[in-house]
């Protein structure tokens, strides 16, 4: 046992300084495409209709981008640029009055999170699991994962919400004490991602629960998930750059 | 005739009236009549006991004189009165309970005969305590044994009941025989059958004979008390009787065994030998452990309670044993504490075990099963029964502020006093037994958490769950009464201990009250103490509320000199008061400080999001106790496991059947061999019966010659 | 081991005059498709499975214009090849003979086909509630049938009390401990019913498919390129391996010649993914035994591999790299060298962790002799991947049916005999080392040239593609129609095979061992549910 203690000490501090400082280690985020440019040919390439033509420019609906990289590696026209960065979380369009303003801390210093897998492919869950590891170590921010909704402040949902998981998800939300927040993690939880339209899964969490914070990405890297949690409790400002330009109802069916 | 004599006659009259009414009235009206006459008899007996116990007096009623054998008489002293009071209390509760409970037997079994036996048993129990000589004692003891046999065998058409009852009768008779021999040795020594003469002459017995008398009486009466290894009948017989009889068997009849042991070994024989006390202590603590282990592993509610009775008898006998050792080594004050602990525990056990058996009976009669694997969720249908059962469970688990805590605490504390004995051997035995008793106390909590939780909480696991309803008022009232008694005995040790002391001081020659309360707390003494000393203890809190609270609030054990006391203090009274105060303050504070807009939100239980949580998906009683079974595998290991699997296409299992067959360690280790030996002897004897006349003539001749030679 | 020709000869002798068949056109492997009359299938497959030494891969049911086609796929080593046993029945005859009793490994495949296609398998004892939960869907629904539009919601309702789990333990105090579907900290949704009388798990019943996303159905009608996104996201933690298998199927259909550089880079990426997956699996095992420092120590290489993948290939889970005909992007050779060096560094960390774990007796106590799967059971239940190899079944598609250049790589297939949790842990470490070897060889031998065959014409047809995914053998069956759209896409994942045998390990052990056994199995629910 003594050996383990030394091993631990010898390893030194690996944790990121985020959110105090920006994380600069390479490979923490796959980035996202940057909207703009006039290579409208890309709009047809996008398999999930995340790229839109808007006033002669390429607009982006980040809630649909599944990281297929087709727009970045397109051979036909000028590819889209990719941003690095990971502060992708934003307040959901429906959050409205329940949203916590930045700086208004609704949950004190400690936050308990229930993670519900509503049909994800495993990548989002894996990224959330990384938050427990030494590199991201969300415990230092007072954030803990709890196995039961009874102690949970935040419901973290991944996956498009399959038919079979809809009821369990509802039950978990109902079992949480108030005040509570719902954070939808990943494109599937935002729009269903590549899995819609389908008989077996819905198009995101918003159809089932009132979502407060959305984190795009396929999967969103650990720091984006962390940003989402901090946004949910008002400890970080939301990134206003990813708000969907169009109301939900007008979305064209995918594929 | 004295008032006490009149009360005794009145009591017997009530019992006779009860028996008479039972015959005269219709079956349907019998339960009510039984409740009335039984309660009146019990109240009369309580009055009688109280009249003797409280002033500490004694009555003697001479009956007649047998030439050469001395006087036959009835006598009642404070010790007997103590037992009488506890018996009468249990009877009072059981009688009232019968009014509602006995209805379930209407039309199936004769309620008339039940009532006659019930009153007969009550009368015989009281007379056992009143018997003043060997002959009437043994006679009434026999009557009591046979009546309890008949009551156990009340549902006589069930093979299980009959065999349990016969086992009980056989073992009880063997025990009585041993006890009778012990009493006869004493009677021969004294040259009289009179108890008072027995006591006077006891000191003349040689140590060898004393050992013989001790062993015979300890194990003879020990059979009735369910001491290891003679406890095998108890978990079979107690559960099969009707619940009110079970309550009486556990709350009254077991105490008779203790009464017998105390009568012979404290009253008739002066305690001078260390050995018997040590033996009693060891047997007692082992009994306690074995009892609670089997209780924890048991799933039948009443069988579990019966095993737990064995455990409690073990604790009582441990206390007695410790007392014997202290007495033999000239520490009468410690002995007094140990005896107070033992008898306090006996009173407590009568109260809560009767309560729990009545609770189990209510559950059984309403739910139709006693199997805790199948029960569950009863608290919704029967809240009052559940509440009373909970109090009983807390009390038997020795949790304050209930009564079990006081007596178990005192027992353990008195075992700790062994450091005063300055003997490493005795000290280590005491330490060992103390550790066993502490383990027992821990297991008792497991056992009764399981009993309450599996029966009353969670989801119901049997089909007719929807049809369960609360027991009638005549059933819940006595349970509530006993629950209050448990609380009362728990928070007023300062009143109970002096009462016990009155009964015990004549036997030990020292007062536990004197020993328990340090001199500086007695009002007369504190005036003489230096002011600095008093103020020091005032700061320590020893005198909190002195003068404001009624009575001595504090139960204190102390050791050391009068001027330099080391204090181990415990006060259930204060604990209770503080608890109530705290709860009240918290309640008021939350009421005052929270705004009424904060509504309580009830949410469905969290089941992991499963579509439907079925009762079979919740913990069962077997599952709850299985860690204990795993740890004590050597003792509780099933002797044989039937393990059968059925599969389709080799890999699809359609049935896995597991039937572990548990045999009690005593059955398995001792009585299996005894039974085999008895069988062998019987077979040997059977060979003599060859049916030839001349052979029998020869037997007669041989027997005659043998008798002639002997005389 | 029988060569394919010998096996076919024996088949012809045993079942004379009934088998028709033809060799596949595949260049990289021996493939043979034989059609068998319905009645002979169970015995034929049983013979292949038990006598001829073939492994059961998967069952591929297809509803075609001409009728039902059920394809039982078996595979052996290079000489044995890949064998398709094909059964055809008219569309209105939905009853097939079950392989149960002959090939037990086909159990879950048949149950799945019954639930999704509305087929019936005569002789199978456990049909019914499986993929489609009975308390959610009406029994009559068979979403995989062609008449059903997978894009539209199907009629369903929450039906209380329809589902009654089959519990078989008959013992005093027996109960079924439910775990899930939402449980633990970060866990995939699945329900486990542990039948027990208190301490030991007597029977463990997983109820899966809570995450059923109908990938195979919604892939139908999508373009081959778009369905690739689904194949990748069937299991995000093994996305490259699944995308790889899918691409191999598609490339076999259109006869693409993947450039050598792409073939080698695919190996590099696949092994990088395996390395990362195994690091994650090791982390989960450490986590399940509550060994905090070891968990952190295992998290470090996992995260380092993730960020290494990201800085190398642009995505932490290697999404979007595979495409039909090669890769979507090229890599500079310096980057490739860097990735090999980085992986070597990370492996040193893993080696050190293994060394330390080996001397932690409290850790080993919880793994050794826990969650045992015997060699016989592993074969019977058709377990694959590291789990099978820990039970002495040295099957690895990279060796048995090498693809994409594995035949030219030097690597060992580690194999252990004990079949307990510790054996599985050792396999993970050993395979991680082999993966690094392959990465280094691939980088060293990396040829020049393009990474993708441009201007591929999609043809109609069907083909099987396979890879050894980190969790075991993955088979993708793709049928492309005249319009270039996917007609049928079957994703046979290793987790489907391995979940079927999960109860073997979980039974007979105490409750507190259950999470450890689950972690040591390292199964993915997403990969199973699809």
């Amino acid at each position: 046992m003594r050996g383990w203690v030394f091993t631990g000490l010898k390893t030194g501090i690996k944790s990121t300084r985020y959110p105090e400082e920006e994380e600069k280690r390479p490979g923490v985020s796959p980035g996202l495409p940057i909207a703009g440019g006039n290579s409208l040919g890309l709009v047809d390439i996008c398999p999930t209709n995340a790229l839109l033509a808007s006033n002669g420019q390429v607009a982006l609906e980040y809630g649909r981008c599944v990281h297929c990289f087709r727009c970045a590696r397109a051979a036909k026209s000028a590819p889209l640029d990719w941003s690095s960065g990971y502060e992708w979380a934003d307040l959901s369009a429906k959050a409205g009055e329940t949203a916590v303003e930045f700086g208004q801390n609704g949950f004190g210093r400690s936050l308990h999170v229930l993670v519900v897998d509503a049909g994800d492919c495993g990548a989002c869950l894996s990224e959330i699991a990384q938050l427990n590891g030494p590199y991201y170590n969300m415990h230092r921010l007072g954030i803990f994962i709890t196995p039961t909704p009874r102690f949970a402040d935040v419901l973290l949902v991944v996956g498009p919400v399959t038919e079979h998981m809809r009821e369990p998800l509802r039950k978990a939300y109902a079992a949480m004490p108030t005040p509570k927040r719902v954070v939808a993690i990943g494109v599937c939880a935002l729009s269903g991602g590549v899995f819609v339209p389908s008989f077996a899964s819905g198009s995101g969490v918003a159809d089932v629960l009132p979502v407060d914070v959305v984190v795009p990405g396929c999967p969103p890297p650990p720091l984006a998930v962390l940003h989402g949690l901090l946004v949910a409790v008002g400890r970080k400002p939301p990134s206003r750059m990813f708000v969907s330009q169009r109301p939900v109802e007008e979305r064209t069916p995918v594929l | 005739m004295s008032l006490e004599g009149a009360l005794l006659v009145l009591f017997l009259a009530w019992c006779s009236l009860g028996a008479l009414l039972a015959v005269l009235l219709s079956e349907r009206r019998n339960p009510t009549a039984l409740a009335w006459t039984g309660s009146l008899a019990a109240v009369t007996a309580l009055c009688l006991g109280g009249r003797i116990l409280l002033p500490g007096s004694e009555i003697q009623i001479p009956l007649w004189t047998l030439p050469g054998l001395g006087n036959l008489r009835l006598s009642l002293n404070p010790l007997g009165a103590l037992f009488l009071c506890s018996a009468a209390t249990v009877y009072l509760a059981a009688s009232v309970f019968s009014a509602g409970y006995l209805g379930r037997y209407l039309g199936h079994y004769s309620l008339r005969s039940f009532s006659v036996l019930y009153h007969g048993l009550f009368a015989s129990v009281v007379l056992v305590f009143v018997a003043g000589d060997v002959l009437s004692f043994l006679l009434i003891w026999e009557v009591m044994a046979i009546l309890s046999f008949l009551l156990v065998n009340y549902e006589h058409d069930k093979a299980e009941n009959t065999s349990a009852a016969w086992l009980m009768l056989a073992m009880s008779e063997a025990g009585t025989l041993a006890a009778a021999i012990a009493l006869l040795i004493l009677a021969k020594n004294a040259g009289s059958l009179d108890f008072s003469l027995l006591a006077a002459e006891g000191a003349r017995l040689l140590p060898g004979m004393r050992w013989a008398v001790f062993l015979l009486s300890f194990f003879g009466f020990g059979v009735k008390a369910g001491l290891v290894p003679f406890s095998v009948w108890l978990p079979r017989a107690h559960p099969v009787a009707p619940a009110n009889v079970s309550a009486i068997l556990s709350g009254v009849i077991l105490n008779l065994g203790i009464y017998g042991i105390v009568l012979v070994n404290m009253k008739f024989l002066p305690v001078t030998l260390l050995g018997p006390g040590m033996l009693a202590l060891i047997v007692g603590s082992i009994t306690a452990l074995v009892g609670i282990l089997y209780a924890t592993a048991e799933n039948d509610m009443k069988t579990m309670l019966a095993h737990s009775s064995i455990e409690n008898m073990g604790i009582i006998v441990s206390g007695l044993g410790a007392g014997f050792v202290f007495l033999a080594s000239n520490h009468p004050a410690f002995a007094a504490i140990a005896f107070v602990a033992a008898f306090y525990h006996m009173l407590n056990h009568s109260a809560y075990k009767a309560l729990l058996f009545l609770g189990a009976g209510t559950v059984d009669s309403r739910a139709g099963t006693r199997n805790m694997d199948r029960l569950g969720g009863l608290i919704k249908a029967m809240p009052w029964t559940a509440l009373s059962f909970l109090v009983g469970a807390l009390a038997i688990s020795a949790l304050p502020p209930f009564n079990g805590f006081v007596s178990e605490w005192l027992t353990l504390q008195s075992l700790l006093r062994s450091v005063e004995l300055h003997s490493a051997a005795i000290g280590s035995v005491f330490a060992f037994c103390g550790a066993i008793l502490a383990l027992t106390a821990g297991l008792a909590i497991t056992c009764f958490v399981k009993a309450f939780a599996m029966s009353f909480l969670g989801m119901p696991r049997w089909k007719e769950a929807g049809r369960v309803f609360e027991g009638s008022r005549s059933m819940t009232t006595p349970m509530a009464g006993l629950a209050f008694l448990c609380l009362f005995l728990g928070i007023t040790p300062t009143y109970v201990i002096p009462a016990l002391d009155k009964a015990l001081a004549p036997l030990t020659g020292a007062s536990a009250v004197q020993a328990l309360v340090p001199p500086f707390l007695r009002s007369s003494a504190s005036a003489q103490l230096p002011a600095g000393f008093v103020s020091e203890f005032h700061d320590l809190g020893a005198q909190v509320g002195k003068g404001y609270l009624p009575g001595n609030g504090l139960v204190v054990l102390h050791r050391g000199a009068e001027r330099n006391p080391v204090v181990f203090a415990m006060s259930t009274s204060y604990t209770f008061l503080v608890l109530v105060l705290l709860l009240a303050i918290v309640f008021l504070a939350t009421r005052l400080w929270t705004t009424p807009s904060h509504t309580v939100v009830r949410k469905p239980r969290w089941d992991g999001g499963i579509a439907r949580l079925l009762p079979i998906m919740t913990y069962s009683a077997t599952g709850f106790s299985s860690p204990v079974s795993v740890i004590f595998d050597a003792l509780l290991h099933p002797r044989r496991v039937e393990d059968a699997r059925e599969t389709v296409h080799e890999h699809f299992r359609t049935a896995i059947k597991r039937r572990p067959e548990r045999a009690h360690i005593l059955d398995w280790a001792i009585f299996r061999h005894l039974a085999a030996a008895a069988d062998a002897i019987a077979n040997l004897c059977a060979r003599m019966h060859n049916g030839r006349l001349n052979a029998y003539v020869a037997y007669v001749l041989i027997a005659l010659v043998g008798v002639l030679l002997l005389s | 081991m029988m060569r394919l020709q010998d096996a076919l000869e024996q088949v012809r002798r045993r079942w004379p005059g009934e088998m028709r068949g033809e060799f596949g056109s595949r260049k990289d492997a021996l493939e043979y498709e034989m059609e068998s009359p319905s009645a002979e299938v169970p015995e034929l497959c049983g013979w292949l499975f038990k006598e001829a030494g073939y492994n059961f891969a998967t069952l591929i049911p297809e509803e075609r214009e001409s009728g039902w086609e059920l394809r039982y796929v078996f595979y052996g080593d290079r000489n044995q090849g890949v064998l398709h046993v094909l059964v055809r029945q008219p569309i209105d005859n939905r009853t097939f003979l079950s392989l149960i009793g002959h090939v037990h490994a086909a159990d879950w495949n048949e149950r799945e086909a019954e639930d999704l296609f509305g087929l019936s398998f005569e002789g199978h004892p456990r049909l019914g509630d499986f993929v489609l939960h009975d308390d959610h869907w009406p029994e009559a629904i068979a979403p995989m049938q062609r008449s059903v539009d997978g894009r539209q919601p199907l009629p369903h309702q929450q039906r209380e009390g329809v589902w009654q789990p089959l519990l078989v333990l008959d013992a005093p105090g027996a109960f079924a401990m439910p775990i899930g579907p939402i449980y633990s900290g970060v866990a995939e949704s699945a329900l486990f019913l542990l039948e027990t009388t208190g301490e030991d798990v007597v029977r463990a019943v997983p109820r899966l498919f809570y995450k059923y996303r109908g990938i195979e159905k919604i892939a139908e009608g999508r373009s081959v390129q778009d369905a690739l996104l689904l194949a990748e996201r069937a299991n995000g933690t093994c996305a490259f391996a699944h995308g790889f298998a899918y691409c191999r199927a598609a490339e076999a259909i259109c006869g693409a010649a993947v450039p050598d550089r792409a073939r080698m880079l695919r190996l590099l990426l696949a092994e990088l993914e395996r390395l990362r997956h195994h690091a994650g699996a090791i982390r989960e095992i450490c986590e399940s035994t509550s060994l905090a420092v070891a968990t952190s120590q295992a998290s470090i290489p996992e995260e380092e591999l993730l960020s290494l993948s990201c800085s190398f290939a642009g995505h932490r889970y290697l999404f979007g790299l595979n495409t039909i005909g090669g890769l979507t992007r090229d890599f500079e050779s310096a980057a490739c060298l860097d990735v090999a060096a980085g992986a070597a560094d990370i492996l040193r960390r893993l080696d050190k962790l293994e060394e330390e774990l080996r001397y932690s007796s409290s850790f080993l106590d919880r793994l050794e002799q826990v969650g045992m799967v015997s060699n016989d059971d592993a074969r019977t239940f058709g377990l694959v991947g590291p789990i099978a190899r820990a039970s002495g079944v040295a099957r690895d598609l990279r060796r048995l049916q090498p693809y994409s250049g594995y035949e030219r790589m030097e690597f060992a297939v580690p194999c252990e005999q004990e079949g307990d949790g510790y054996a599985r842990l050792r396999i993970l470490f050993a395979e991680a080392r082999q993966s690094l070897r392959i990465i280094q060889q691939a980088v060293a031998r990396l040829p020049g040239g393009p990474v993708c065959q441009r201007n591929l014409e999609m043809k109609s047809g069907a083909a099987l593609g396979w890879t050894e995914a980190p969790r075991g053998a993955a088979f993708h069956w793709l049928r492309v129609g005249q319009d270039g759209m996917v007609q049928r896409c079957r994703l046979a994942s290793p987790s489907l095979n391995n979940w079927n045998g999960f109860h073997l390990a979980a039974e007979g052990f105490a409750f507190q061992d259950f999470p450890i056994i689950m972690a040591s199995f390292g199964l993915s629910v997403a990969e199973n549910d699809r």
Side-chain angles (χ1 to χ4, degrees), chain B residues 388-439:
Chain B
S388 308
F389 195 94
L390 178 64
V391 170
L394 289 173
I396 202 167
S397 308
L399 295 175
F402 297 102
N403 54 356
F405 172 72
V406 181
S407 51
E408 285 205 28
W409 187 81
L410 281 173
T411 308
L412 287 172
Q413 280 290 353
S414 62
L415 287 183
L416 286 176
R417 294 286 81 75
S418 65
V419 287
E420 304 288 325
L421 297 176
H422 305 298
S423 157
I426 297 178
S428 47
V429 170
F430 267 67
F432 175 70
C433 294
I436 289 186
L437 288 185
L439 174 63

Side-chain angles (χ1 to χ4, degrees), chain C residues 336-515:
Chain C
C336 294
L337 287 171
D338 281 353
V339 89
D345 278 346
I346 291 163
L347 198 83
R348 268 193 288 283
R349 199 182 269 286
L350 275 178
D351 281 342
K352 229 172 80 196
L353 177 67
E354 187 186 15
E355 191 68 12
E356 280 184 88
L357 286 176
R358 197 150 41 147
Y359 292 105
S360 299
S361 53
S362 67
F363 174 73
L364 296 188
D365 282 348
R366 305 215 60 186
L367 284 176
E368 278 180 314
Q369 308 281 319
V370 168
M372 315 272 282
V373 178
S374 72
N375 184 292
D376 274 355
D377 281 343
R379 281 180 195 283
T380 311
F381 282 79
L383 301 190
V384 292
I387 297 161
R389 294 193 279 272
S391 292
V393 183
R395 279 184 206 148
D396 191 326
L397 281 176
R398 294 176 294 171
R399 182 55 56 76
L400 292 180
Q401 299 292 337
Y403 51 90
S404 198
Y406 271 117
E407 62 277 5
R408 286 183 283 129
M409 294 289 161
E410 277 175 33
F411 66 99
V413 176
C415 185
E416 301 277 354
Q417 301 301 323
E418 290 90 337
D420 60 355
Y422 185 41
R424 292 194 279 274
L425 180 71
R426 290 201 306 271
I427 289 281
L428 292 175
F429 277 112
E431 291 195 1
R433 274 191 288 277
Q434 298 304 325
S435 290
L436 179 69
R437 272 179 77 185
I438 298 173
I439 290 174
Q440 285 167 336
Q441 291 173 54
V443 170
R445 297 184 196 171
L446 201 58
V451 291
C452 188
Q453 188 188 4
R454 296 283 164 197
N455 308 321
L456 260 178
E457 276 288 308
M458 204 61 228
K459 293 176 190 157
S460 69
L464 189 70
W466 60 83
T467 53
E468 180 74 16
R471 291 188 173 93
F475 292 86
H476 286 227
W477 173 259
L478 188 65
R479 183 177 294 280
V480 182
Q482 297 290 348
D483 52 356
M485 296 293 164
V486 175
Q487 273 188 351
R488 173 81 173 105
C489 174
R490 166 82 174 144
L491 276 67
S493 66
S495 288
L496 183 72
N497 289 21
N498 286 345
W499 272 115
N500 187 9
F502 173 65
H503 69 276
L504 297 168
E507 287 168 6
F509 294 96
F511 270 153
Q512 63 265 31
D513 290 330
F514 186 75

Side-chain angles (χ1 to χ4, degrees), chain B residues 206-517:
Chain B
L206 296 173
M209 284 313 262
R210 277 192 200 174
W211 261 107
V213 169
F214 167 74
L215 288 176
L216 285 168
S217 63
F218 182 69
F219 288 112
F221 288 118
V223 171
K224 254 291 155 273
L227 295 185
V228 163
F230 304 109
S231 59
V232 285
W233 63 273
L234 202 156
R236 290 195 177 88
H238 280 204
V240 299
N244 45 358
V245 176
S246 302
I248 288 162
L249 288 172
S250 268
V252 177
I253 306 293
L254 290 180
N255 293 350
L256 291 180
I258 303 293
Y259 178 70
I261 293 172
V262 171
L263 192 69
V264 173
N265 295 296
M266 277 175 72
K267 212 164 172 217
F268 300 161
L269 282 178
V271 184
T272 51
L273 294 170
L274 273 175
M278 301 291 281
L279 185 67
L281 177 60
I282 293 168
V283 169
S285 51
I286 291 174
T287 303
L289 184 63
V290 170
I292 197 63
L293 279 177
Y294 281 95
T296 312
E298 181 59 52
N299 290 329
D300 181 297
M301 212 185 221
K302 280 172 87 178
T303 314
M304 181 275 291
L305 290 175
H307 279 296
S308 144
S309 293
I310 298 177
E311 174 230 340
N312 280 282
M313 287 297 126
I315 295 174
I316 295 167
V317 170
S318 303
L320 287 183
F324 289 150
V325 173
F326 284 126
L327 213 51
S329 42
N330 281 324
H331 286 88
F334 293 151
I337 299 172
F339 286 127
V340 161
F343 282 88
Y344 206 145
H345 199 71
M346 192 194 75
L347 286 185
N348 294 342
H349 176 243
S350 295
Y352 52 61
K353 192 47 67 66
L355 163 59
L356 291 170
F357 262 119
L358 297 187
T362 314
V363 168
D364 188 13
S365 67
R366 290 296 185 256
T369 177
R370 307 189 304 238
N371 185 349
M372 291 189 283
D373 269 339
R374 302 185 57 213
L375 290 169
L378 286 172
I379 195 166
K380 293 204 181 84
M382 18 190 6
W384 292 109
T385 309
L387 190 64
S388 308
F389 195 94
L390 178 64
V391 170
L394 289 173
I396 202 167
S397 308
L399 295 175
F402 297 102
N403 54 356
F405 172 72
V406 181
S407 51
E408 285 205 28
W409 187 81
L410 281 173
T411 308
L412 287 172
Q413 280 290 353
S414 62
L415 287 183
L416 286 176
R417 294 286 81 75
S418 65
V419 287
E420 304 288 325
L421 297 176
H422 305 298
S423 157
I426 297 178
S428 47
V429 170
F430 267 67
F432 175 70
C433 294
I436 289 186
L437 288 185
L439 174 63
T440 306
L443 285 169
I445 296 181
T446 315
C447 176
F448 282 92
V449 165
K450 163 183 153 179
F452 182 75
M454 292 301 149
S455 315
F456 292 98
L457 306 180
M459 297 165 89
R461 283 177 285 245
W462 80 107
K463 271 189 227 133
E464 300 83 12
R467 278 185 262 144
V468 175
F469 55 99
E470 179 64 283
S472 66
R473 194 172 294 172
S474 65
M475 291 158 90
T476 50
T477 312
M479 285 192 278
L482 286 171
F484 270 110
L485 185 63
C486 287
L487 181 65
F488 179 78
L489 288 171
I491 60 175
T492 58
T494 41
Y495 294 93
V496 179
I497 291 173
L500 288 172
D501 200 47
K502 281 207 184 90
L504 296 168
L507 298 176
T508 54
S511 165
V513 175
Q514 303 291 319
L516 274 168
V517 183

Side-chain angles (χ1 to χ4, degrees), chain A residues 148-150 168 171-172 174 176 180, chain B residues 603-607 609-611:
Chain A
T148 154
R150 287 280 190 253
K171 276 175 141 183
M176 283 168 67
K180 51 189 166 188
Chain B
K603 304 208 162 171
R605 85 184 144 242
W606 174 238
D607 47 16
I610 194 169

Side-chain angles (χ1 to χ4, degrees), chain C residues 63-65 142-149 217 220 487:
Chain C
E63 185 188 354
R64 307 197 60 189
E65 315 266 282
M144 289 299 285
Q145 285 180 2
R146 289 175 73 140
S147 55
V148 176
D149 180 5
K217 179 68 185 180
E220 289 172 12
Q487 273 188 351

